[in-house]
């Protein structure tokens, strides 16, 4: 599916995958398949920094940026190591717990963004709970370079009466998020 979609898009694509499917397929084989589909980046949220060496080597061999995550509970020195190792951009998890839509973005994200921006010149995208244009306005005013929206889109598609309706709603939703960028 990605092989058909990626050429139609005007922006780079980062794929999210848990580590187990990557291991099952084989890291090298997985990376070459991802490369061949035209994907530019990979986020593997369940792999800690200390276990990313093999993934990073294979990603580098296949010209894929391995994006790493930092969280509100990440100690400063560890955050610095994560942003140094992350490629493409840094993913800032905005809250503790599971992903999903939230009413508001934790005000602590503002300070976390400041700390990350002092540690790296890489772009920083905020995710986990970003689900409406007001969230986009808020985190970009704090210095975020981008946002990651997943659960809100999945819910929108799941609540639709048909795939066509879901795609139309997704398009309107995405346009509202884009319009919220400065």
């Amino acid at each position: 599916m990605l092989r058909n979609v990626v050429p139609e898009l005007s922006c780079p694509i980062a794929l999210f995958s848990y580590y187990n499917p990557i291991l099952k397929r084989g890291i090298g084989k997985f990376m070459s398949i991802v490369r061949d589909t035209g994907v530019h980046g990979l986020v593997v949220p369940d792999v800690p920094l200390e276990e990313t060496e093999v993934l990073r080597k294979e990603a580098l061999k296949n010209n894929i940026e391995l994006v790493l995550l930092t969280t509100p509970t990440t100690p400063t020195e560890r955050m610095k190591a994560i942003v140094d190792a992350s490629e493409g951009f840094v993913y800032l998890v905005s809250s503790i717990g599971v992903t999903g839509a939230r009413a508001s973005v934790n005000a602590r994200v503002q300070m976390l963004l400041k700390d990350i921006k002092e540690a790296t010149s890489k772009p920083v995208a905020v995710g986990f709970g970003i689900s409406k244009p007001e969230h986009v306005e808020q985190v970009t005013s704090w210095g975020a370079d981008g946002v990651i929206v997943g659960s809100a889109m999945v819910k929108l598609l799941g609540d639709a009466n048909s795939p066509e309706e879901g795609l139309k709603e997704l398009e309107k939703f995405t346009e509202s998020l884009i319009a919220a960028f400065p």
Side-chain angles (χ1 to χ4, degrees):
M1 180 172 72
L2 281 172
R3 196 180 315 264
N4 295 328
V5 173
V6 171
E8 302 295 319
L9 301 174
S10 61
C11 62
I13 296 297
L15 180 69
F16 280 57
S17 177
Y18 288 104
Y19 198 33
N20 202 35
I22 297 170
L23 288 174
K24 185 172 168 99
R25 180 149 288 158
I27 296 171
K29 184 176 181 183
F30 182 88
M31 292 294 184
S32 66
I33 290 169
V34 168
R35 176 201 61 221
D36 292 345
T37 64
V39 168
H40 297 86
L42 180 64
V43 179
V44 187
D46 59 340
V47 177
L49 174 64
E50 295 77 13
E51 297 178 27
T52 61
E53 186 177 342
V54 173
L55 271 177
R56 289 192 321 217
K57 285 180 183 175
E58 287 297 324
L60 185 63
K61 276 200 301 195
N62 287 281
N63 200 28
I64 297 167
E65 296 173 336
L66 185 62
V67 177
L68 302 179
L69 294 84
T70 185
T71 74
T73 60
T74 303
T76 302
E77 288 308 309
R78 182 172 177 77
M79 176 272 292
K80 289 177 180 177
I82 289 169
V83 300
D84 284 346
S86 190
E87 298 172 2
F89 66 95
V90 176
Y91 184 150
L92 171 58
V93 175
S94 68
S95 61
I96 300 167
V98 296
T99 188
R102 291 183 171 57
S104 63
V105 179
N106 186 327
R108 184 154 187 263
V109 170
Q110 184 174 13
M111 185 55 69
L112 295 169
L113 278 164
K114 180 182 172 292
D115 292 345
I116 294 169
K117 293 288 194 167
E118 288 174 0
T120 187
S121 60
K122 295 172 187 167
V124 181
V126 176
F128 269 58
I130 305 298
S131 60
K132 49 190 172 181
E134 295 82 9
H135 294 162
V136 174
E137 290 171 0
Q138 187 173 36
V139 298
T140 56
S141 75
W142 290 342
D145 301 293
V147 295
I148 297 168
V149 180
S151 297
M153 291 181 168
V154 170
K155 180 175 179 358
L156 193 135
L157 289 169
D159 289 349
N161 292 320
S162 69
E164 295 78 19
E165 177 188 313
L167 289 174
K168 285 179 186 172
E169 291 300 315
L170 183 60
E171 183 177 20
K172 286 192 318 194
F173 177 63
T174 303
E175 287 171 353
S176 75
L177 298 177
I178 291 168
F181 271 90

